[in-house]
Amino acid sequence: MKKNGAKIIMFVVIAILLCSAGSVFAAPKPPVLTYTPGLLKEALAGPMSGVEEIIFTTRQPYDDGHWYANIGYYCEDENMPAYAGNGKPGRGKLYKYNLRTKKLTLLLDTKGGSVRDPQVHYDGEKILFSYRMAGSNFYNLYEIDTSGENLRQITSGDYDDFEPTYMPDGRILFVSTRCNRWVSCYKTQVAIMYSCDAGGGNITQLSGNIEHDNTPWMLPDGRVLYTRWEYVDRSQVDYHHLWVMSPDGTRQNVFYGNMHPRIVMIDAKPIPGSDKIVAIFCPGHGRMDHNGAVTVLTDKLGPDAPEAAVTINAKPVFKDPWPFSEDCFLVAFANKIVVMNAKGQIDTVYALPKTITGLNCHEPRPIIKRPREKIIPSTVAANKPTGEYSILDVYEGRNMKGVKRGDIKKLLVLEALPKPANFHGGPDVVSWLGTFNLERVLGTVPVEPDGSAYFEVPANRSLFFVTLDENDMSVKRMQSFTSVVPGESTTCIGCHEERTVTAPANKVVMAMKRPPSRIEPFAGQPDVLDFRRDIQPILDENCVSCHNYQKREGKVLLTGDVSGAFCHSFWNLFANLQIADGQNGYSNLPPRSIGTSASNLMDKIDGSHYGVTLSDKDWRTVWLWIESAAPYAGTYAALRTMELIGKASVAGGVLRENQSMINRRCNSCHPIGGKNYWGELNKPIDAERNIKPNFNGLRAVHERQVKKGDSRLSPQILFNFTRPQFSPVLLGPLAKEAGGYGSCPDVFKDTSDPGYQALLGSIKRAKVRFDKTGVYGTEQFAPHRQYVREMKRFGILDESFDLAADDIDAYQTDRLYWQSLWYQPVQ
């Protein structure tokens, strides 16, 4: 099989272009914004006949297009609020509106604060909501009577608790930032699901997600329907779909859409008297305030059937739907509340007066009594730190072509690690636009000859699996995550099996005849890999003698000299397609297309490549590095490197200082806007293999990528900030007789050339600027202050810690942070 790697450019382009793409579903587009006077009157005489009053909220928009970036503060500046109004005096209000008399009643004026996510209790007499009081930066849960009396606080603390829903057993389910983690591809905080009792006590974590859970809502059968966003080894902008679980967090499973990228499926609720769901489908990576298309769907055709989702109104401007029937929905739309029918036609229920500007309407809910859902008894064993997985047959699955029975011998178990801080939309120096998170290796468990496995795992962690063959080469990678709550025992049929398939009856499963396997760790190996610490020494010992600046076999450099965000060896391994990672692309890729089996580097260290044979320990280290997504920096303290390098104008400064010389001596072969320029930039290796890069364009691209945080395209590879004289941008145009590569004849005859000396001087000055940044890769490396701030907030570092005066072990600090999130059994 040809090794994977050729799809790097394709996946990057797809991820960028599809960010703003629309729905993949082929339902006909209904009339858009067709106002139908009299529709409300029909609804009040029909599906809404028992409704006298509704509630809704008003609040300011927030200055961020992301659907989730409406809580807390931005990581780079704790004084920059991300919530509604972004620090301006809040104008949030909770209203009650009589549909028949048109009387508007103010239930709560936040007087400088904000209110969101109201839900009326089953008895119709009180309202649960999230409230950020004036002067506070945090939303907490509150209740108030439907009369506007008896305001009472439920939760407290410096966390955002929001999107609450009543549960039939009297508890409350909500999402919260109590999980102490940040969005892995942005600069705001993560919120996952928790529950508490009616008074706010006994708060319990229900989710192991390292990204957002959103808008949980009860289904009639007692399960919880919610939105889950995740991107383990796949695109960060494409997978945010509908999932279900039991109210205690057990039985988490896909409900609909996880095989359909490019849609945020959110604000989903069951339609009364129907087995269908209404939801908002936000196009692409979503929109502010969950704006999207009103969509009705069913899971009766399976969770992957495109025809199961029918667009009611395709205009992506609606939010917060409340269903009364399959032909009647209450929906928020800008500064209005409207009623919508199954044809997508709308009629205004209420609109803010024209004199009120800068506010939108949200979350319309009827004040009605409603039946409690079925109560599913909890099966959580709070005294256990673990749960169990049983896999009936790993060979049962989609996209398993070429995998024969007997191929799979083990499962590798990994953990996606949350981030304690983050700054932008790229992975920074965690990877070269591959994984956004460090992946911790837990170890392996056996797979029986019949394809079954039964094993124990830690609770409330974001775990995923890789199937391995007899040589420990990867066969199939999960590209998603799973988790169990304490004491849970859960079963899946196989590896990405069809969700409409049920387990065969009376099948004897070999793994279930024995106790669950314990995960076998890799003794003497790091569980979180770091390229410079763990891999570069192996390259230095075994590879650099042939792949250095003087002897550049195969035109490949494997030295550890730093060129900016990454070192030359890291750039070269990926640019030469030696590593096959998830590439920030789509999921459920074919077998043997990600990981060690698809990585050409493994063929270079097995003795067949000029006799290079690694020790067993070093071979395993390289193997672990690739299977844990081939990270560069093995600590989140390294984040913000790309931004700080850009601000220091490291690479861009060199190009600017030498613009005149470049125009005079380079542009004849490297013209502005040269043909195939972008494709050439995607595979920069050195000045010879760089296929005539456009130097003016390199500077412009560099400046754009600093803003985007995208390290796939960067001129940094051309420079050497460890030993400036070995910068490929110098060696490429330098004559071979003078010690260069001779890639560009007649440019630099020798090192005395004034142009060479000017360029070398610029690189030396850039090295000084680079070293002063103190980023990962410099001798002065130290975590940024925001990392320290959050570690103090999480209780990992002492409040007295002084970054300027005190030493810090970033790797150990990371480890203490992760361990602080591990579930502690209740004794």
Side-chain angles (χ1 to χ4, degrees):
M1 175 182 289
K2 185 177 181 180
K3 301 281 176 102
N4 192 325
K7 299 186 290 296
I8 290 178
I9 299 172
M10 178 185 73
F11 280 141
V12 173
V13 172
I14 287 175
I16 293 172
L17 293 181
L18 297 189
C19 240
S20 58
S23 170
V24 298
F25 300 111
K29 300 252 175 144
V32 175
L33 292 186
T34 302
Y35 281 90
T36 306
L39 190 61
L40 175 60
K41 184 177 180 181
E42 293 179 13
L44 290 175
M48 296 176 62
S49 60
V51 182
E52 292 289 324
E53 297 174 312
I54 64 171
I55 59 168
F56 65 93
T57 67
T58 61
R59 58 180 177 271
Q60 297 143 288
Y62 53 97
D63 299 331
D64 197 306
H66 292 81
W67 53 277
Y68 54 85
N70 53 15
I71 53 170
Y73 53 88
Y74 289 105
C75 192
E76 70 268 33
D77 185 353
E78 61 271 28
N79 298 311
M80 185 188 299
Y83 49 73
N86 297 101
K88 300 173 185 176
R91 299 162 60 196
K93 291 180 173 65
L94 174 64
Y95 287 104
K96 179 170 63 175
Y97 181 69
N98 191 297
L99 297 172
R100 301 174 193 279
T101 67
K102 313 300 182 186
K103 179 182 178 182
L104 182 68
T105 303
L106 178 63
L107 298 180
L108 177 67
D109 184 350
T110 65
K111 297 181 179 179
S114 186
V115 61
R116 54 177 293 176
D117 313 318
Q119 190 191 64
V120 177
H121 191 266
Y122 297 103
D123 61 16
E125 296 180 357
K126 57 186 177 181
I127 304 165
L128 173 67
F129 59 97
S130 188
Y131 178 20
R132 182 181 59 79
M133 299 185 70
S136 171
N137 290 318
F138 303 99
Y139 285 97
N140 290 129
L141 303 186
Y142 284 75
E143 272 186 331
I144 195 171
D145 293 349
T146 53
S147 63
E149 300 174 315
N150 298 321
L151 177 67
R152 51 200 174 273
Q153 186 169 358
I154 296 175
T155 63
S156 61
D158 291 346
Y159 309 99
D160 284 299
D161 303 325
F162 57 106
E163 296 178 349
T165 186
Y166 287 113
M167 293 197 290
D169 63 356
R171 289 180 63 79
I172 294 169
L173 179 64
F174 61 102
V175 299
S176 177
T177 59
R178 296 170 184 269
C179 54
N180 291 346
R181 57 200 67 172
W182 289 74
V183 173
S184 298
C185 66
Y186 203 52
K187 52 190 177 181
T188 53
Q189 294 174 67
V190 165
I192 62 174
M193 289 182 292
Y194 288 78
S195 68
C196 66
D197 60 32
N202 298 311
I203 294 177
T204 303
Q205 180 180 334
L206 303 179
S207 169
N209 199 352
I210 62 171
E211 300 300 337
H212 272 281
D213 301 322
N214 279 103
T215 61
W217 204 269
M218 297 301 302
L219 292 173
D221 63 8
R223 294 179 299 164
V224 177
L225 179 66
Y226 64 98
T227 298
R228 174 170 119 166
W229 180 26
E230 46 105 343
Y231 40 96
V232 175
D233 296 326
R234 60 180 180 173
S235 168
Q236 86 276 24
V237 297
D238 285 317
Y239 295 94
H240 7 56
H241 300 102
L242 297 177
W243 287 67
V244 287
M245 69 175 189
S246 295
D248 62 356
T250 59
R251 300 169 58 207
Q252 295 181 22
N253 205 349
V254 63
F255 182 83
Y256 185 78
N258 198 43
M259 296 298 293
H260 300 297
R262 297 183 285 161
I263 306 172
V264 177
M265 302 177 183
I266 202 162
D267 287 319
K269 301 173 187 69
I271 299 175
S274 168
D275 60 4
K276 296 180 180 179
I277 301 296
V278 65
I280 293 296
F281 278 24
C282 303
H285 190 35
R287 298 192 176 185
M288 181 176 66
D289 281 329
H290 304 179
N291 285 315
V294 179
T295 306
V296 169
L297 62 102
T298 178
D299 68 336
K300 300 305 178 184
L301 303 177
D304 305 321
E307 63 272 20
V310 177
T311 303
I312 300 301
N313 193 306
K315 190 74 172 176
V317 296
F318 301 104
K319 55 184 179 289
D320 310 317
W322 180 279
F324 293 97
S325 72
E326 292 186 38
D327 191 36
C328 183
F329 309 93
L330 206 59
V331 185
F333 164 43
N335 66 342
K336 303 181 180 67
I337 305 297
V338 300
V339 66
M340 179 182 294
N341 64 14
K343 298 178 181 179
Q345 299 168 330
I346 60 175
D347 192 8
T348 300
V349 174
Y350 173 81
L352 290 173
K354 293 182 180 180
T355 55
I356 298 178
T357 60
L359 293 178
N360 289 323
C361 293
H362 299 268
E363 298 115 8
R365 319 285 197 227
I367 300 178
I368 56 175
K369 292 183 179 181
R370 55 191 177 91
R372 293 177 186 259
E373 299 83 9
K374 177 183 176 181
I375 296 178
I376 300 177
S378 176
T379 59
V380 172
N383 63 333
K384 292 185 177 181
T386 61
E388 297 173 355
Y389 278 102
S390 54
I391 300 175
L392 303 186
D393 188 350
V394 295
Y395 298 101
E396 288 292 336
R398 293 170 291 196
N399 211 2
M400 295 289 284
K401 185 178 180 180
V403 180
K404 300 176 182 178
R405 288 203 167 269
D407 282 358
I408 297 171
K409 306 298 183 182
K410 301 175 187 175
L411 289 179
L412 176 65
V413 183
L414 300 105
E415 174 185 3
L417 295 172
K419 284 182 173 177
N422 201 54
F423 300 95
H424 52 64
D428 205 283
V429 290
V430 172
S431 74
W432 190 10
L433 202 59
T435 182
F436 283 72
N437 295 90
L438 295 173
E439 298 178 357
R440 177 172 173 256
V441 179
L442 274 64
T444 61
V445 295
V447 172
E448 302 294 340
D450 66 346
S452 64
Y454 179 39
F455 53 100
E456 189 177 66
V457 296
N460 286 348
R461 311 272 194 92
S462 181
L463 305 175
F464 60 102
F465 314 131
V466 180
T467 57
L468 305 176
D469 64 18
E470 62 182 354
N471 297 313
D472 282 358
M473 295 292 103
S474 58
V475 178
K476 180 76 172 179
R477 200 168 179 95
M478 189 168 168
Q479 292 191 273
S480 183
F481 85 91
T482 183
S483 64
V484 293
V485 298
E488 180 181 3
S489 182
T490 190
T491 301
C492 56
I493 298 173
C495 185
H496 293 279
E497 76 277 0
E498 293 285 350
R499 297 301 191 246
T500 54
V501 174
T502 58
N506 303 318
K507 179 179 179 179
V508 177
V509 178
M510 295 178 66
M512 299 300 290
K513 293 181 178 181
R514 55 168 173 78
S517 302
R518 297 287 184 91
I519 298 174
E520 183 66 32
F522 292 93
Q525 293 284 354
D527 55 354
V528 179
L529 280 293
D530 180 282
F531 183 86
R532 291 175 58 81
R533 181 193 66 194
D534 302 317
I535 304 303
Q536 189 60 52
I538 298 174
L539 299 179
D540 290 342
E541 180 179 348
N542 296 277
C543 308
V544 169
S545 61
C546 292
H547 298 284
N548 57 63
Y549 302 102
Q550 291 82 23
K551 185 180 180 183
R552 198 171 48 113
E553 295 292 346
K555 300 178 181 177
V556 173
L557 294 172
L558 293 179
T559 58
D561 293 43
V562 177
S563 61
F566 305 113
C567 63
H568 279 158
S569 54
F570 190 82
W571 286 111
N572 273 253
L573 286 173
F574 280 90
N576 283 282
L577 307 181
Q578 295 300 299
I579 309 298
D581 63 357
Q583 302 173 344
N584 197 35
Y586 285 167
S587 66
N588 199 16
L589 295 179
R592 302 182 177 96
S593 58
I594 303 178
T596 48
S597 62
S599 295
N600 291 292
L601 179 61
M602 298 304 294
D603 296 336
K604 307 294 192 302
I605 60 175
D606 64 359
S608 62
H609 180 71
Y610 299 98
V612 175
T613 303
L614 271 58
S615 67
D616 291 344
K617 183 178 185 296
D618 285 351
W619 183 93
R620 181 60 71 183
T621 301
V622 174
W623 181 92
L624 288 167
W625 174 67
I626 294 174
E627 291 300 350
S628 60
Y632 185 60
T635 170
Y636 289 138
L639 296 175
R640 217 179 183 191
T641 290
M642 295 290 291
E643 176 188 350
L644 295 177
I645 289 175
K647 286 183 176 179
S649 193
V650 175
V654 173
L655 297 174
R656 280 192 295 273
E657 289 179 10
N658 294 274
Q659 190 65 65
S660 177
M661 186 270 289
I662 290 172
N663 289 341
R664 186 175 67 257
R665 305 180 69 173
C666 303
N667 279 357
S668 60
C669 294
H670 306 279
I672 296 175
K675 186 178 180 181
N676 295 327
Y677 166 64
W678 283 99
E680 294 162 2
L681 266 184
N682 270 281
K683 41 186 175 180
I685 299 170
D686 53 50
E688 180 173 340
R689 291 196 64 184
N690 203 29
I691 323 170
K692 298 183 180 180
N694 172 340
F695 285 91
N696 286 291
L698 278 172
R699 187 185 72 184
V701 169
H702 170 73
E703 292 170 348
R704 287 195 294 271
Q705 299 314 314
V706 166
K707 297 178 182 179
K708 293 182 179 180
D710 179 357
S711 57
R712 287 281 186 187
L713 305 175
S714 176
Q716 295 175 15
I717 185 64
L718 299 175
F719 305 105
N720 187 323
F721 299 124
T722 303
R723 295 177 287 177
Q725 69 272 25
F726 292 134
S727 294
V729 74
L730 288 171
L731 295 175
L734 181 63
K736 288 184 178 180
E737 296 77 11
Y741 302 153
S743 309
C744 304
D746 303 321
V747 177
F748 299 145
K749 295 295 186 182
D750 55 49
T751 58
S752 65
D753 186 291
Y756 177 96
Q757 288 296 320
L759 195 53
L760 176 60
S762 290
I763 298 171
K764 287 181 177 179
R765 290 190 292 275
K767 170 180 166 53
V768 173
R769 296 195 299 273
F770 175 74
D771 289 340
K772 286 182 178 179
T773 64
V775 297
Y776 180 80
T778 65
E779 292 184 3
Q780 297 80 17
F781 166 58
H784 45 81
R785 72 166 188 86
Q786 293 90 346
Y787 174 90
V788 171
R789 179 197 68 210
E790 294 303 300
M791 288 302 192
K792 288 182 178 182
R793 186 166 75 91
F794 300 152
I796 308 304
L797 292 175
D798 190 84
E799 281 294 332
S800 64
F801 178 84
D802 184 348
L803 183 59
D806 298 331
D807 293 332
I808 182 172
D809 183 336
Y811 299 97
Q812 179 62 15
T813 304
D814 271 15
R815 186 170 299 277
L816 291 173
Y817 161 69
W818 301 322
Q819 290 175 348
S820 75
L821 305 176
W822 293 356
Y823 177 74
Q824 300 300 318
V826 177
Q827 302 301 328

